[in-house]
Amino acid sequence: MDLAASNDAYYNTSFIVNPGDGRDSVTVRTANLVFLISTVFWFCMSAVVTKLGKPKFVKSDVKFYKWRNIFISWVHGVLGGTWNFLCVLWYPGLLEDPVFYLNNFIYLMIPFSMGYFLYDVIDNMMNGTLLTNWEVTLHHVLVLIGFTYNWTAKVCLGYSILALMAEINSIFLHFRKMLQFSTVGYETKIYRTTSLLNLISFILCRLLPQCRILNGFYIDGHKLPRMYMVTLSIIFPPGFIINVILFWRIFKSDVLRSLKADKTVIPIKSNSKKED
């Protein structure tokens, strides 16, 4: 069944506020090709990183596949986060009409990121960490399900871009983990700065966009395709809960632990008595 064709009725109503370049400006075939190229690209990058081996600044007890996985995730965060930022900066119309706004630049970011998500699921499966990293696995599976509908139906791409704002945060989230894998201490300036930027961007680029998506149920519910409403109702709650849990873990690790450590420091009282 052609999902794009099944949604034609939505594009012939007064619901459209800003269609951008319109759905005819993009093709599912091109998106499929980008998805394939993206998936191959990430596997090729994995092969290159494997060939280079583990850097000397990485701790000896850190397994190489963990370093490789987090490094490639960081690279995707840089590329995907930059692409996402440009989508919002250059095409603010997608925020005005997240249901119908569409152009090639926005559209092709979806299969590009999905290629990475598929690679990461396969990489975790090959390393036997699917269950260990269950939050990541569940997140990727939910995203793959939701975004597949969006790209094939050519609808609600603005909401996909909102969800992918998380990649901006991923730049700092994964860099923080890379610092933990290295010999950089928690009390260093670079770690503290990264930790602060991670917490700020987590709120601005993960939690707030998800709140906007949730609000979309209310303000755009009357014009959302029924299939998308069903899909979003299934995949959104667990995705939001995962992000809240992740934020709490990071906050507890980087903020509460630091405050607790400061309180345990016992000041040394100087002897006020003068020696005779």
Side-chain angles (χ1 to χ4, degrees):
M1 179 180 179
D2 188 348
L3 289 178
S6 69
N7 285 277
D8 279 339
Y10 288 95
Y11 288 83
N12 297 320
T13 70
S14 59
F15 292 150
I16 300 175
V17 176
N18 187 347
D21 293 340
R23 68 187 316 209
D24 293 334
S25 67
V26 301
T27 63
V28 175
R29 180 176 298 179
T30 303
N32 292 339
L33 180 61
V34 170
F35 173 66
L36 176 62
I37 293 173
S38 175
T39 305
V40 173
F41 170 77
W42 296 112
F43 276 104
C44 289
M45 174 165 283
S46 177
V48 171
V49 175
T50 301
K51 183 70 174 178
L52 294 174
K54 186 166 70 172
K56 293 182 179 180
F57 58 81
V58 177
K59 296 175 182 177
S60 59
D61 60 338
V62 175
K63 294 182 179 180
F64 174 69
Y65 75 84
K66 290 185 176 181
W67 162 260
R68 181 186 61 201
N69 182 271
I70 206 69
F71 175 75
I72 293 177
S73 296
W74 176 75
V75 172
H76 175 256
V78 172
L79 297 178
T82 302
W83 194 337
N84 183 275
F85 176 76
L86 293 176
C87 283
V88 178
L89 179 66
W90 290 347
Y91 306 106
L94 70 89
L95 300 178
E96 179 187 13
D97 192 348
V99 178
F100 300 112
Y101 194 92
L102 191 60
N103 64 38
N104 256 308
F105 191 78
I106 291 171
Y107 183 61
L108 295 181
M109 183 190 172
I110 310 305
F112 170 78
S113 288
M114 286 187 62
Y116 161 74
F117 293 137
L118 178 61
Y119 154 77
D120 202 41
V121 169
I122 296 174
D123 184 62
N124 278 291
M125 181 174 62
M126 293 173 64
N127 291 308
T129 56
L130 274 179
L131 296 180
T132 305
N133 299 330
W134 67 268
E135 304 101 321
V136 175
T137 302
L138 180 59
H139 169 269
H140 289 355
V141 170
L142 293 176
V143 168
L144 286 167
I145 293 173
F147 284 7
T148 296
Y149 172 80
N150 289 15
W151 120 38
T152 53
K154 301 181 185 180
V155 68
C156 298
L157 274 299
Y159 283 118
S160 296
I161 296 299
L162 281 169
L164 285 172
M165 286 184 72
E167 295 310 316
I168 299 175
N169 166 250
S170 292
I171 298 172
F172 306 104
L173 178 68
H174 296 314
F175 188 66
R176 167 184 173 273
K177 193 65 177 179
M178 289 166 63
L179 291 176
Q180 292 178 349
F181 282 167
S182 70
T183 54
V184 175
Y186 292 124
E187 302 305 318
T188 59
K189 195 170 185 178
I190 186 173
Y191 185 87
R192 285 181 173 272
T193 302
T194 302
S195 175
L196 178 61
L197 292 173
N198 178 45
L199 288 170
I200 294 173
S201 62
F202 201 109
I203 295 172
L204 296 179
C205 301
R206 282 185 186 266
L207 298 182
L208 288 183
Q210 290 206 339
C211 289
R212 172 61 182 86
I213 294 172
L214 181 61
N215 190 44
F217 274 104
Y218 175 73
I219 62 176
D220 289 330
H222 63 288
K223 58 182 180 181
L224 290 175
R226 183 175 299 176
M227 181 61 70
Y228 184 71
M229 286 290 288
V230 172
T231 304
L232 197 62
S233 299
I234 295 173
I235 69 176
F236 182 83
F240 184 78
I241 292 171
I242 288 172
N243 276 304
V244 171
I245 293 173
L246 178 59
F247 179 79
W248 169 245
R249 288 179 178 176
I250 295 171
F251 184 81
K252 183 170 63 174
S253 173
D254 287 0
V255 178
L256 297 185
R257 183 180 64 179
S258 179
L259 292 175
K260 185 177 180 181
D262 291 340
K263 289 181 180 180
T264 57
V265 175
I266 302 175
I268 300 175
K269 296 182 179 180
S270 60
N271 190 351
S272 61
K273 293 183 179 181
K274 295 182 179 179
E275 294 182 0
D276 294 332

